[in-house]
Amino acid sequence: HLIFPMARVVGGEGHVYAVDLVPAVLEMIESKRAHEAYVNVSCVRGDFERMEGVAIPKGKLDAILLVNNLWCLKSIDGLLKEAKRLLKPDGHLVLVDWKKEAEHPVAPPVECRMSVGQAEEVFKRGGFLKDRDLVVNKVHWGITFKPS
C-alpha cells in the first residue's frame, strides 16, 4: 500500500491519512501500522465522493494521492469538491490510473477506464489546473494537479 512509503517520505515532521470507505482495507492498514510502529499514519473511514465525507479539517492536506480509483467512482464531481476542500491552496492532487490500452489481470474493464485527456478535462472542469505529467509505468499514466 502506498501509505507506508509516503509515511517514510514525510518522516516525523509529516502525517499521512489512509482514507477508505471499506473497513477491511482500513483494518489491514491499521494492523501493519501498529505492527511496524508507524506513528505518523492515521486511518480514516471516509467517503471522498461526498462533501465533508472525510473527517479531516478543511485545507489540512499538502497532497492527495488518488491511485487506480477513477473507474469505480460514482460521483467524480463530489470527489473533486471534497479534494478541493481538503487541500491547502498550494496543495497537489496526484492522479495515477490505468491506461485505456493496458492489458493486466487486475485492471478494470476498458470501458470503465478514463484516458489521460478525459481526466484532464474532467479535473479542469472541477477546478483543478494540470501541473505536470508523471511517467509511471507501461500500464499506468499519472498527472499532478493544483487547485485553481
Side-chain angles (χ1 to χ4, degrees):
H1 204 282
L2 289 176
I3 293 300
F4 301 106
M6 291 309 302
R8 289 189 292 277
V9 167
V10 301
E13 299 297 314
H15 199 85
V16 177
Y17 296 91
V19 179
D20 208 296
L21 195 57
V22 181
V25 172
L26 294 172
E27 289 166 12
M28 180 271 303
I29 293 168
E30 177 58 29
S31 175
K32 181 172 179 165
R33 186 209 64 77
H35 182 263
E36 297 185 18
Y38 281 93
V39 295
N40 63 343
V41 173
S42 296
C43 291
V44 178
R45 184 159 189 236
D47 183 355
F48 258 103
E49 295 181 69
R50 274 188 318 110
M51 191 63 160
E52 298 190 19
V54 178
I56 296 174
K58 178 181 179 178
K60 174 90 171 165
L61 304 180
D62 292 304
I64 294 173
L65 276 65
L66 185 63
V67 180
N68 292 340
N69 291 95
L70 287 180
W71 71 275
C72 63
L73 293 174
K74 292 179 181 69
S75 173
I76 197 157
D77 292 336
L79 169 111
L80 295 170
K81 288 175 186 170
E82 184 65 347
K84 281 190 83 165
R85 182 187 76 81
L86 293 169
L87 281 172
K88 291 178 180 178
D90 61 344
H92 288 84
L93 188 146
V94 180
L95 178 62
V96 175
D97 220 296
W98 295 97
K99 291 180 179 178
K100 283 281 249 188
E101 68 279 4
E103 292 185 25
H104 194 279
V106 298
V110 172
E111 62 273 10
C112 297
R113 299 182 215 168
M114 200 178 284
S115 71
V116 176
Q118 289 170 315
E120 285 180 34
E121 186 57 36
V122 167
F123 278 69
K124 181 179 177 182
R125 282 195 316 261
F128 284 86
L129 298 174
K130 180 179 173 180
D131 183 38
R132 64 187 168 116
D133 289 309
L134 302 173
V135 176
V136 183
N137 59 39
K138 68 179 186 173
V139 295
H140 292 94
W141 52 261
I143 306 172
T144 62
F145 294 95
K146 293 180 178 183
S148 57

